[in-house]
Amino acid sequence: MRTTVRRWPRLGALYGAGLGFAGGIVAAVVSAVGGLVDPLSAPVLVVAVVSAVTTGAGALLAGLQSWLLYASFVIGHGGELELSGLSFQSAVVLAGTAVIATAAGAAIRWIQQPALVEIPHQRAAADAVTNVLVNR
């Protein structure tokens, strides 16, 4: 009987950055349209999901891109980068989300890692007889 182990995926840094950029655009549009209790919740969700499945560099790139989109199109309207207290606070929140989600994704991958089991090698009876004759 064969079983297939499904592990939590891990994307490379460039794939994670690309996924974070695409998700960051969607999150910025959702945040700008409104209807959310906190407009930062959409970028935080995107960064958390992308960071859980990518490397540390990919997670930080996704967080940086999401912050740039959020600070440019939600806080600063019209694509101008707004460098204010709210912008820096959102940068800290997104960077913290990237670090925590990367650690959580690594912990899930570590838990799902299969345990190594040592199986003893069975020797044939002929090998045992040959070894006895050689050692005499």
Side-chain angles (χ1 to χ4, degrees):
M1 177 169 81
R2 282 195 159 178
T3 59
T4 303
V5 178
R6 297 184 67 107
R7 295 191 61 198
W8 190 271
R10 184 168 189 201
L11 300 175
L14 292 178
Y15 290 114
L19 183 62
F21 184 67
I25 291 172
V26 172
V29 169
V30 168
S31 295
V33 168
L36 299 174
V37 174
D38 184 16
L40 188 59
S41 61
V44 165
L45 181 63
V46 167
V47 170
V49 169
V50 171
S51 297
V53 297
T54 189
T55 61
L60 291 177
L61 285 171
L64 175 68
Q65 292 167 349
S66 292
W67 173 71
L68 288 172
L69 289 166
Y70 179 77
S72 297
F73 292 103
V74 177
I75 297 174
H77 301 287
E80 292 182 18
L81 182 61
E82 179 74 28
L83 297 177
S84 63
L86 181 61
S87 173
F88 291 126
Q89 180 185 4
S90 64
V92 169
V93 169
L94 289 172
T97 302
V99 170
I100 291 171
T102 302
I108 289 171
R109 282 188 294 278
W110 181 76
I111 290 169
Q112 289 181 339
Q113 185 176 3
L116 296 176
V117 178
E118 187 174 329
I119 300 173
H121 179 68
Q122 297 290 330
R123 294 184 181 229
D127 288 343
V129 172
T130 306
N131 288 337
V132 169
L133 295 176
V134 171
N135 290 336
R136 285 189 172 183

